[in-house]
Amino acid sequence: MKTNRKALAALSIVAAGTLALTACGGGSDAKTSDTPAPATSAQPTVDANAKPTTDIISTNGTEPQNPLIPTNTTEVGGGKITDLIFAGLVSFDAKGAPVLDQAESITPNADNSEWTVKLKSGLKFTDGTAVTSDSFIKAWNYGAQFSNKQGASYFFENIKGYNAEKDSELSGLKKVSDTEFTVALNAPESDFQLRIGYTAFVPLPEAAFKDMKAFGESPVGNGPYKFATANAWTHNQGIQLVKSDSYAGPRVPKNGGVNVKFYTTQDAAYADVQGKNLDILDQIPSSAFKTFTGDFPDSNVNQSAAIFQSFTIPQYLEHFKPGEEGELRRQAISMSIDRDAITDKIFEGTRAPAKDFTSPVLSGWDTWGKGLAGNDVLSYNADKAKELWAKADAISKYDGTFTISYNADGDHQTWVEAVTNSISETLGIKSEGKSYPAFKQLLDDEDKDAMTGAFRSGWQADYPAAYNFLAPLYQTGAGSNYGRYTNTEVDGFLKAGAAAGSAEEAQGDYNKAQEILVKELPVVPLWYSNVQSVWNPTLKNVQIGWNSVPLYNEITK
């Protein structure tokens, strides 16, 4: 469909998302035999008129990798917190439709190259200071500055003035008044209103710029929750949040707060829900796939999620570097993995073998994703895998051990062992898992380019668009491009897609990028995930959002 090029106010913005989800919760129009299993578990009835309570909701989490600065929080542990304590111009409802949050209106010009943002009046941070146009402009400039080395800086690349090599002000940001500013882009962007729903685009108070490091340890936000105390973050244990009375937006909490407990294993979190020591677990461990519906007959959900799972083979790894040998080995590794058997036996059908690099819950995936040209390399073919590996050995003999690193606090050991066993049996090489105690430690080594083998990877979408599954992971220099992949053609197709005037035109460019990715395999796609959540039966109004995260503000006891 054509993008709405006129004013996007509270009602029209929902229809304007070029690549938005058509459905998430109970399924999508992309449901086929190749997509994750439909939601068949308990689907709670949501009471829109539920009375607010002061009860605290406890949930699972992991220790954030970095201080909670929104533009440098690019992993799920920290992202769960920043999403609760900050609010941007746009947020998303349970099905992934954009809804105006701190913005009163977001209006594009005729070709989507300039956007006018008007804020709601009277917005406040939790320290009582006003949320103004400057709060957004200064925060975005901080996130984009080269010297600040923010992990999400690339999200600002299309705003005029952005420079990935040296400090430069975002000249495209112009203040009109305290409640209005304009955003001039380098190239038209039809789904800009989706992009700014990501946490990197939230505002920051003046206090943040006085000492950003200290701010990240005890942030002041403008979202539905706030830190319970200045010392609410007990490292490696949890973070306590309480309802913010100053928040003005669509996510007003119906409870008194959220207590995020950090776990080193999903099994421990699951046991705590069973023992009523934890209210809700957003993803069950693999050990509970067969039992969770019986353990929680009236308080569970199994639904499609915007989650893509893979493992990354870094570009600097010997025998897997860019070039003929590396390409042959990557394809051989991919074709040596029996995804059908693993998703069936290990995951009990709660995963589906990957056919591309995005997610079946995106609108139109059946048309452009399922039949991606060249995706036969993602299917198990032992004979072809051996042939390709032999060709690579003729270039340079491989006599090492192929490892896949994973974080033990994320319930990955079982599938890693299954994948490495499949690789070993098919190619006749030694392959095994390598465990890190926690996700933070794994990410730290990835950041330092210190990996000695492949490592588990994946993506939980920041906003519902194909671009978000591709650019953050495979664009040159992107913050989550831990494999250090670079390809100028891929970069060009991603930029062209972002500037396209229609969903069809954009998806054509994105698929051209995917056709290169499926040949060069900077990551080896594995499967798409469903989300399986369980909760204490005393909870009410539980909904799991399009991005597999519970809508915590709606939950009551």
Side-chain angles (χ1 to χ4, degrees), residues 277-294:
N277 295 314
L278 186 71
D279 288 325
I280 183 168
L281 173 63
D282 59 15
Q283 180 58 56
I284 65 172
S286 57
S287 59
F289 284 155
K290 291 183 179 180
T291 63
F292 78 97
T293 56

Side-chain angles (χ1 to χ4, degrees), residues 14 26 43 111 159 162 173 204 206 220 257 259 281 289 300 310 348 370 408 435 439 456 475 489 494:
V14 175
Q43 297 292 313
D111 69 351
I159 298 176
Y162 176 84
L173 300 179
L204 291 176
E206 284 299 316
V220 171
N259 182 11
L281 173 63
F289 284 155
N300 75 82
S310 61
E348 298 290 328
K370 181 181 176 183
S435 175
F439 190 34
R456 82 94 180 161
Q475 186 167 287
E489 284 188 279
L494 292 177

Side-chain angles (χ1 to χ4, degrees), residues 23-29 31 36-40 43 94-95 301-304 544:
C24 192
S28 91
D29 65 353
K31 286 287 171 283
T40 55
Q43 297 292 313
K95 293 185 177 181
V301 72
N302 176 25
Q303 69 182 44
S304 301
I544 309 300

Side-chain angles (χ1 to χ4, degrees), residues 306-442:
I307 299 175
F308 165 85
Q309 296 287 350
S310 61
F311 63 83
T312 298
I313 306 176
Q315 300 291 300
Y316 54 80
L317 196 64
E318 196 65 34
H319 293 289
F320 291 89
K321 294 179 180 179
E324 184 181 5
E325 181 196 357
E327 194 170 293
L328 287 168
R329 293 201 189 282
R330 290 165 184 269
Q331 292 177 7
I333 290 287
S334 179
M335 299 178 85
S336 71
I337 301 167
D338 193 342
R339 295 168 178 80
D340 288 315
I342 293 171
T343 54
D344 181 49
K345 295 176 182 178
I346 300 296
F347 292 111
E348 298 290 328
T350 62
R351 307 289 188 272
K355 303 298 182 183
D356 76 331
F357 295 78
T358 66
S359 169
V361 301
L362 295 180
S363 178
W365 181 89
D366 259 0
T367 300
W368 52 258
K370 181 181 176 183
L372 177 69
N375 70 358
D376 56 311
V377 76
L378 306 182
S379 297
Y380 180 59
N381 188 331
D383 291 339
K384 186 65 174 179
K386 292 174 183 177
E387 176 190 330
L388 296 175
W389 194 260
K391 287 182 178 179
D393 270 350
I395 298 172
S396 177
K397 182 67 176 177
Y398 182 88
D399 57 5
T401 299
F402 186 81
T403 60
I404 300 178
S405 294
Y406 64 94
N407 50 300
D409 60 350
D411 193 40
H412 300 290
Q413 181 178 354
T414 303
W415 72 256
V416 169
E417 290 178 349
V419 168
T420 53
N421 286 341
S422 188
I423 293 170
S424 292
E425 292 171 5
T426 303
L427 299 179
I429 64 173
K430 187 176 181 180
S431 181
E432 61 190 23
K434 180 180 177 182
S435 175
Y436 280 72
F439 190 34
K440 181 183 185 300
Q441 293 166 319
L442 175 60

